[in-house]
Amino acid sequence: DAKTTQPNSMESNEEEPVHLPCNHSTISGTDYIHWYRQLPSQGPEYVIHGLTSNVNNRMASLAIAEDRKSSTLILHRATLRDAAVYYCTRVSGNTPLVFGKGTRLSVIA
Amino acid sequence: DAGVTQSPTHLIKTRGQQVTLRCSPKSGHDTVSWYQQALGQGPQFIFQYYEEEERQRGNFPDRFSGHQFPNYSSELNVNALLLGDSALYLCASSLGLAGETQYFGPGTRLLVL
């Protein structure tokens, strides 16, 4: 049970912003929201994580809803190299990462 | 700085055989977790090793076992292989047990015939 819900697939044009949604309506107060992505033929790689406030790093931004029941990963300008499966997970303490099927992002040139 | 490395990259076995997969964690990391990823699915947690002990285990049978060495590297052993064990096996390393970011290796693709 991934405890998160994501769309199966999304499509974006190159150099356009992409908003990848994740629903985690049963999230607890101590759960962090982590995003990983998996490029073709590679292992997952960490993207970003947050607890309550919006977060930015060199790869992406994470917008967390005020009630924390959903979040959105934002890629500001999609490139072909961003084509991957994006996973949203909940992490509390040392709980193992639980992955669902994620969202497969296609980027069109 | 070397990331997580895994060997071999690919492996073909037959049903009933045994297999050992190896993982070297990212420099400075002391915790290793193993995941199984079937085709089209997200990775599923197998177990986690820290200080040479299994700390957590997912819903996998006893045929799956592991080991962590004093240099923090780890092995995953699978006995009595089944066709359904065909998958990508991923190793991830992290620092400590506080839910820190995990860094994944490229995986070992196992095919059981």
Side-chain angles (χ1 to χ4, degrees), chain A:
Chain A
D1 180 11
K3 300 181 181 178
T4 61
T5 305
Q6 300 177 254
N8 290 334
S9 62
M10 291 184 66
E11 199 173 83
S12 172
N13 293 318
E14 198 175 12
E15 299 191 3
E16 294 288 320
V18 182
H19 291 234
L20 298 165
C22 179
N23 182 288
H24 30 79
S25 57
T26 60
I27 195 167
S28 71
T30 57
D31 287 350
Y32 281 78
I33 301 152
H34 284 232
W35 283 80
Y36 285 77
R37 73 179 184 180
Q38 188 170 20
L39 280 64
S41 302
Q42 295 188 28
E45 67 172 340
Y46 167 79
V47 178
I48 200 168
H49 76 278
L51 182 62
T52 55
S53 304
N54 294 345
V55 184
N56 300 294
N57 67 19
R58 64 174 180 81
M59 290 181 70
S61 295
L62 176 61
I64 302 171
E66 198 168 330
D67 62 7
R68 299 206 334 118
K69 292 184 176 182
S70 65
S71 61
T72 302
L73 179 70
I74 302 166
L75 306 179
H76 296 284
R77 289 182 66 225
T79 70
L80 296 178
R81 289 173 294 181
D82 291 322
V85 178
Y86 287 78
Y87 297 101
C88 166
T89 69
R90 292 160 46 174
V91 177
S92 178
N94 191 33
T95 57
L97 292 174
V98 179
F99 294 93
K101 290 188 176 182
T103 296
R104 182 172 297 278
L105 175 66
S106 301
V107 180
I108 303 168

Side-chain angles (χ1 to χ4, degrees), chain B residues 49-113:
Chain B
Y49 276 85
Y50 174 73
E51 291 188 339
E52 302 180 50
E53 290 186 11
E54 183 182 294
R55 298 294 178 148
Q56 297 189 74
R57 190 179 183 91
N59 188 26
F60 280 80
D62 292 345
R63 298 186 298 108
F64 289 78
S65 63
H67 189 77
Q68 186 179 34
F69 299 93
N71 67 353
Y72 308 122
S73 67
S74 176
E75 288 182 349
L76 164 65
N77 300 293
V78 187
N79 294 322
L81 284 167
L82 304 174
L83 297 180
D85 295 331
S86 295
L88 180 67
Y89 288 86
L90 295 159
C91 169
S93 74
S94 55
L95 182 61
L97 293 175
E100 296 294 324
T101 299
Q102 295 194 26
Y103 291 79
F104 285 80
T108 294
R109 173 116 7 229
L110 172 65
L111 178 61
V112 182
L113 300 176

